[in-house]
Amino acid sequence: MQIKRTILFIVVLVTLCAGFIGINKNQSIPKRVPFIVPKGWPKPVYDFNKNPLTEAGIALGKQLFYDGQLSKDGTISCGSCHQQFGAFNSYDHPLSHGIENALTTRNAPALFNLAWQKEFMWDGGINHLDLQPLAPITAHNEMGEELENLMTKLKKTKQYPKLFKAAFGDETINTQRLGKALSQFLLTMVSSNSKYDRVMRGEDSFLLPEKLGYAIFKTKCAQCHTEPMFTDYSYRNIGIPLEPYLKDLGRMTITNEAADSLKFRVPSLRNVMVSFPYGHDGRFFSLMNVFEHYRNNMQIGPTTDTLLKNKLPLSNYEIGQLRAFFQTLTDSVFLKDPRFAEPSIGIKSNPPLDQHN
Amino acid sequence: MQQKWKMAFLLIALLGLTNIAICQSTVQFKMMFNNQVFHKDSSYQNKAGETIQIHRFMFYTTKWKLITATNDTIPLSKEHFLINIEKEASMILPFIKGANAKKIMFDIGVDSILNTTGIQTGILDPAIGMFWTWRTGYIMAKMHGVSPQAKTAGNRFSYEVGGFQSPYNSVRTIVLELPIPAEKNKSITIKTNLANWFSGKHNIQISTFPNCHNAGKLAMQLADNYASMFSIHSNN
């Protein structure tokens, strides 16, 4: 009798346990993905505790990044203006196109190393990476969509409720989850494998012009384009005159301080050779235009940066060496990384011809 | 006999006191335009004599507290609420009134920490439309309408007040004296005078300022103005 009871007890126990195992199997636990900080780089500013990277989260972010449904008429995705071969800038477009032939007012910046960036947009008006995509999604001259409508559209699809469940545990689709998923994908876009990086890691060495250029860079550029991010993330007026049609005052739009007039975020010089045109409104077609601006065309105004009060003298020789150094900042691994490529297109083996540099 | 009455009275008073401690009370907003009850899309005149019709009026409120006669603070709720003239239910806030209060306190706006920590959910979801996507920050209060004096397309005026950082922090704390003695079981009605947007502290004319869509001086003045629009309904 006792033995029978014991057996029954064990059978019931095992059945129960098996049941629990079954339940656990049905409950998808998103697989964590570690975020690796390149050696010698500062600590990221993004709070990964509030949005840990997972395989499913990154996949959902990538799906959203390349989905035209995020725009009002389905024609524009994030990837339309952020193209991988240009380090996720807009190829050869001073200003990019939005829905219904609209034109934007600023140059689409290259996207990489966003985990280290505290503020976004050329004027720094956005204070969190999760919030950043909401700006182009809702801007009437970019993707022109209303968030509420976008959520309704995504909920109606077959795939998205499943993808959100895989990433966040249930099928809820809201703005917060959209932002977090896009952030997860964007955060994985780390560019740290240029020749410069290999040299710094001791795996490669500079050619003579690159080495000379690096020395010139350190004396003339590095105060603002600080290593290893090649920007100090500050806002500065580099003597760009006010564009009479766009009338963009930059940082002042956000702070309302006259002292911030015509100040824009210092862009990173990583991948600079492939991310033309340059400047907040894309007014410089080539690096040569930029050098010419610094040494000749600057307009010194009351808010021009103190480091540039006498412009930035550059000889032809120096420009030549700087160009050689800037070539070493191109991260071809990043530009061809299949993890970031548009799913339906894949990696373009031949990026478009470099027309200007 | 007299003694008996006194005893009964005391007993009732005691019961009443215990009742206050547990009773469910509410705070209710009553929209006004000066001395008239406000109706959406009716025509009113502001202090500058401009004719206005208002069709959208919303504001966030949070950090509801009571101050007792002994100056103790009793938190009512840390939640954020969005008051919206188009949603009757949003104008009634359910609170448990814990004590015999002398004052009621609340903020108009959204706590700064929620402006700096990414995307929020629920009533603070940016999809609700009380959020600036081009520059981070909640729209603390919003008033849209038309006025022949607005020299804009469709004579529209549009006030969207925001800004959470010094020197343009548009959050305002409101303190209102409650009538003494505060009656039990009675909801508090807060009269909300929309006319104050134009003349509460600063005179703001639609003809000069038909739009406010950024943090800054005008947003601060509008916030000063609407901070003065609340008063306790005398029949409380």
Side-chain angles (χ1 to χ4, degrees):
Chain A
M1 196 62 193
Q2 273 284 21
I3 294 165
K4 264 189 182 174
R5 264 193 186 177
T6 313
I7 290 168
L8 192 75
F9 179 74
I10 289 168
V11 166
V12 168
L13 201 75
V14 168
T15 319
L16 272 171
C17 289
F20 273 112
I21 292 164
I23 288 165
N24 281 336
K25 263 186 187 165
N26 286 338
Q27 228 174 30
S28 58
I29 298 161
K31 202 177 162 199
R32 289 280 184 103
V33 175
F35 184 78
I36 296 153
V37 178
K39 216 180 145 193
W41 283 30
K43 205 175 154 251
V45 295
Y46 190 84
D47 186 357
F48 286 94
N49 291 326
K50 293 214 175 97
N51 187 23
L53 301 185
T54 62
E55 276 180 3
I58 296 164
L60 171 58
K62 182 176 177 177
Q63 183 75 33
L64 291 165
F65 186 86
Y66 287 112
D67 193 340
Q69 284 189 88
L70 268 62
S71 65
K72 188 182 180 182
D73 62 5
T75 58
I76 310 275
S77 74
C78 308
S80 305
C81 301
H82 295 285
Q83 300 162 308
Q84 186 175 12
F85 53 78
F88 294 95
N89 86 334
S90 242
Y91 176 74
D92 206 26
H93 278 63
L95 307 171
S96 7
H97 300 271
I99 56 163
E100 291 157 4
N101 292 313
L103 204 58
T104 59
T105 59
R106 287 178 181 161
N107 181 250
L111 304 178
F112 48 81
N113 302 341
L114 297 166
W116 287 268
Q117 195 169 323
K118 218 184 261 176
E119 294 165 335
F120 303 87
M121 306 292 265
W122 282 102
D123 55 25
I126 293 173
N127 65 18
H128 197 289
L129 181 61
D130 295 3
L131 285 165
Q132 170 56 41
L134 307 186
I137 290 170
T138 57
H140 67 94
N141 58 348
E142 296 185 57
M143 295 153 92
E145 182 57 291
E146 281 176 21
L147 293 172
E148 206 181 342
N149 195 39
L150 172 56
M151 298 311 144
T152 311
K153 280 198 294 191
L154 295 181
K155 282 172 195 167
K156 276 188 196 155
T157 61
K158 245 187 174 175
Q159 51 164 348
Y160 277 113
K162 284 181 207 156
L163 293 173
F164 274 81
K165 187 181 176 187
F168 298 108
D170 63 66
E171 292 192 354
T172 306
I173 296 178
N174 60 28
T175 319
Q176 186 185 61
R177 286 183 170 185
L178 173 96
K180 282 187 169 181
L182 279 164
S183 281
Q184 289 198 32
F185 174 59
L186 293 167
L187 288 161
T188 61
M189 287 165 34
V190 176
S191 177
S192 65
N193 282 304
S194 62
K195 179 172 184 183
Y196 160 85
D197 295 298
R198 291 200 306 277
V199 172
M200 292 300 131
R201 292 197 295 257
E203 300 161 10
D204 205 337
S205 55
F206 282 138
L207 300 171
L208 182 61
E210 295 164 351
K211 197 176 161 184
L212 294 169
Y214 184 38
I216 296 161
F217 162 81
K218 282 204 274 196
T219 55
K220 297 212 165 175
C221 318
Q223 288 95 326
C224 310
H225 297 283
T226 318
E227 295 167 83
M229 312 318 289
F230 287 85
T231 167
D232 65 353
Y233 299 108
S234 62
Y235 306 91
R236 297 173 191 258
N237 173 353
I238 59 159
I240 287 181
L242 181 73
E243 212 289 328
Y245 299 101
L246 299 171
K247 296 189 178 70
D248 191 345
L249 293 171
R251 185 74 181 148
M252 185 180 159
T253 319
I254 304 303
T255 63
N256 290 298
E257 299 290 335
D260 287 329
S261 172
L262 294 171
K263 289 186 181 176
F264 294 90
R265 187 163 44 76
V266 175
S268 173
L269 294 184
R270 285 181 173 274
N271 299 303
V272 68
M273 296 307 282
V274 297
S275 56
F276 55 88
Y278 309 105
H280 70 275
D281 52 10
R283 65 177 72 189
F284 304 117
F285 287 109
S286 70
L287 268 187
M288 201 54 222
N289 290 154
V290 178
F291 290 129
E292 226 20 65
H293 168 78
Y294 275 122
R295 66 174 178 179
N296 284 326
N297 302 335
M298 277 183 64
Q299 283 192 16
I300 313 293
T303 62
T304 304
D305 204 84
T306 46
L307 292 165
L308 297 168
K309 285 289 181 197
N310 302 312
K311 301 186 183 172
L312 181 62
L314 289 165
S315 67
N316 289 346
Y317 162 78
E318 286 175 316
I319 288 173
Q321 313 311 304
L322 279 173
R323 285 174 62 98
F325 172 64
F326 288 165
Q327 295 277 9
T328 74
L329 297 176
T330 301
D331 179 353
S332 48
V333 179
F334 176 74
L335 300 179
K336 292 189 173 186
D337 194 327
R339 288 183 299 152
F340 313 134
E342 183 161 2
S344 54
I345 293 175
I347 297 292
K348 292 191 178 72
S349 53
N350 292 312
L353 188 67
D354 178 344
Q355 299 176 336
H356 306 289
N357 284 317
Chain B
M1 195 61 189
Q2 275 254 314
Q3 282 287 69
K4 263 189 183 174
W5 275 116
K6 264 189 186 170
M7 282 291 283
F9 180 77
L10 266 170
L11 214 75
I12 289 163
L14 209 72
L15 270 169
L17 272 174
T18 47
N19 250 350
I20 287 170
I22 51 161
C23 78
Q24 169 98 20
S25 179
T26 59
V27 167
Q28 202 169 327
F29 288 94
K30 187 177 182 187
M31 300 303 164
M32 306 289 291
F33 202 95
N34 290 328
N35 297 322
Q36 305 162 45
V37 173
F38 172 81
H39 293 288
K40 201 176 137 219
D41 292 322
S42 289
S43 289
Y44 299 95
Q45 279 206 338
N46 67 14
K47 199 182 164 192
E50 296 169 316
T51 305
I52 54 172
Q53 288 168 266
I54 295 163
H55 59 256
R56 189 163 292 151
F57 177 62
M58 295 156 94
F59 60 90
Y60 277 114
T61 166
T62 185
K63 294 184 186 167
W64 284 79
K65 293 170 203 141
L66 290 173
I67 313 275
T68 65
T70 51
N71 279 329
D72 289 324
T73 307
I74 299 157
L76 291 173
S77 170
K78 284 178 183 165
E79 295 288 301
H80 283 76
F81 302 94
L82 180 61
I83 313 298
N84 179 356
I85 51 161
E86 286 167 285
K87 286 183 180 162
E88 200 70 44
S90 78
M91 293 192 266
I92 300 164
L93 309 179
F95 292 134
I96 310 287
K97 200 164 84 178
N100 205 345
K102 199 173 74 174
K103 292 175 190 168
I104 191 158
M105 242 176 113
F106 55 97
D107 276 7
I108 297 297
V110 176
D111 193 16
S112 68
I113 190 83
L114 298 168
N115 284 273
T116 56
T117 46
I119 304 175
Q120 315 301 331
T121 54
I123 200 73
L124 294 171
D125 189 322
I128 286 171
M130 290 290 279
F131 190 85
W132 284 323
T133 51
W134 62 277
R135 66 155 297 156
T136 303
Y138 282 93
I139 297 166
M140 312 295 187
K142 176 189 270 189
M143 177 188 278
H144 291 176
V146 289
S147 165
Q149 279 75 24
K151 294 164 205 147
T152 59
N155 297 124
R156 288 184 283 268
F157 73 95
S158 161
Y159 292 153
E160 300 190 345
V161 177
F164 60 92
Q165 277 168 313
S166 175
Y168 299 113
N169 184 351
S170 61
V171 175
R172 295 291 180 273
T173 301
I174 317 296
V175 183
L176 299 173
E177 302 264 348
L178 293 171
I180 296 171
E183 288 173 66
K184 58 166 182 164
N185 280 337
K186 190 137 194 205
S187 69
I188 299 168
T189 302
I190 298 176
K191 284 202 291 185
T192 307
N193 184 2
L194 277 64
N196 280 33
W197 276 63
F198 307 94
S199 51
K201 188 176 173 189
H202 315 273
N203 286 321
I204 293 170
Q205 291 192 22
I206 292 168
S207 57
T208 325
F209 297 109
N211 291 306
C212 177
H213 287 135
N214 200 351
K217 200 180 154 203
L218 179 59
M220 291 295 276
Q221 291 191 339
L222 283 165
D224 288 344
N225 276 0
Y226 65 61
S228 72
M229 72 180 161
F230 303 103
S231 60
I232 297 291
H233 198 279
S234 52
N235 292 341
N236 265 307

